[in-house]
Amino acid sequence: MKLSPKRMSKPLFRESAPVRSYTGPILNPYQKYKTFLVDDFNKRCGYTNCHHIWFGGKQCFHIDHVKPKSKNPELLNDYKNLVYSCSYVNMAKGDDDNDYLDPVNDDYNLHFYRDEHGNIYPNADSPRANYMYTKLKLYLGRYQIIFMLDKLRDKMNEVKNLIESLEDGEDKTRLKLVQSDLASEFLNYLNYLEVGQ
């Protein structure tokens, strides 16, 4: 799926969209699909784009049914109806049969955006996104925190890899200082989070 172009005023909700690539036989029970969902959803919640590492990994993530299994039993084991989901969103959604945006078939970048701090917001012209924002509690600070932790981790890994690729010299020394500054920012952010708890 092609993602919408990057907007200057509203950061993208996510940079890569999930897919559903499994084409094998129908699996029963649907939990047998979990390994495929982990890969297809890039180890991220289909609804919040939060990486499962911050929730304890795949054993702590759920499998949601876009169309609830209680009201659509014929879709119980249909891979096209499954979403890799954090437990918080899955429990908030429950068996609600509203018209949810499918994380694979709908471009979430057209319906949601994040501010510079990682907070999730629905686009005003998307009634479905506005409903999901409230029902799934996408306004909760945990999603902003996870977004920021992801960004910090990515930057720290980027600098680490660059340092490892360089020969000893002035550039490597400067990058080690940048790495130290990033580590300091990471600690500052953790301290900021601790004050708010």
Side-chain angles (χ1 to χ4, degrees), residues 26-45:
I26 293 173
L27 300 179
N28 187 3
Y30 66 86
Q31 291 87 346
K32 290 182 178 181
Y33 289 117
K34 194 168 197 178
T35 301
F36 302 105
L37 290 166
V38 170
D39 292 338
D40 281 353
F41 280 77
N42 306 307
K43 301 178 183 174
R44 294 180 176 276
C45 174

Side-chain angles (χ1 to χ4, degrees), residues 126-192:
S126 177
R128 292 162 74 194
N130 278 275
Y131 178 82
M132 289 173 64
Y133 179 76
T134 302
K135 176 66 178 170
L136 303 182
K137 301 178 181 176
L138 300 180
Y139 51 80
L140 291 176
R142 73 170 54 101
Y143 306 120
Q144 178 265 340
I145 291 167
I146 290 168
F147 177 86
M148 295 303 288
L149 290 172
D150 262 347
K151 291 297 173 197
L152 282 168
R153 183 182 66 161
D154 290 347
K155 290 294 178 194
M156 290 173 79
N157 278 326
E158 188 179 328
V159 170
K160 177 181 175 273
N161 292 336
L162 189 55
I163 288 170
E164 290 173 355
S165 73
L166 293 173
E167 299 289 328
D168 285 339
E170 189 177 322
D171 287 340
K172 191 167 189 167
T173 302
R174 278 191 305 199
L175 277 175
K176 284 184 176 181
L177 289 172
V178 170
Q179 184 181 38
S180 176
D181 287 345
L182 275 172
S184 179
E185 285 298 318
F186 185 72
L187 290 174
N188 286 341
Y189 188 64
L190 291 179
N191 288 334
Y192 161 77

Side-chain angles (χ1 to χ4, degrees), residues 69-86:
K69 59 188 176 191
S70 62
K71 298 178 181 177
N72 302 274
E74 72 282 5
L75 299 176
L76 177 68
N77 297 310
D78 185 343
Y79 194 71
K80 294 180 199 128
N81 189 48
L82 303 180
V83 176
Y84 192 58
S85 173
C86 68

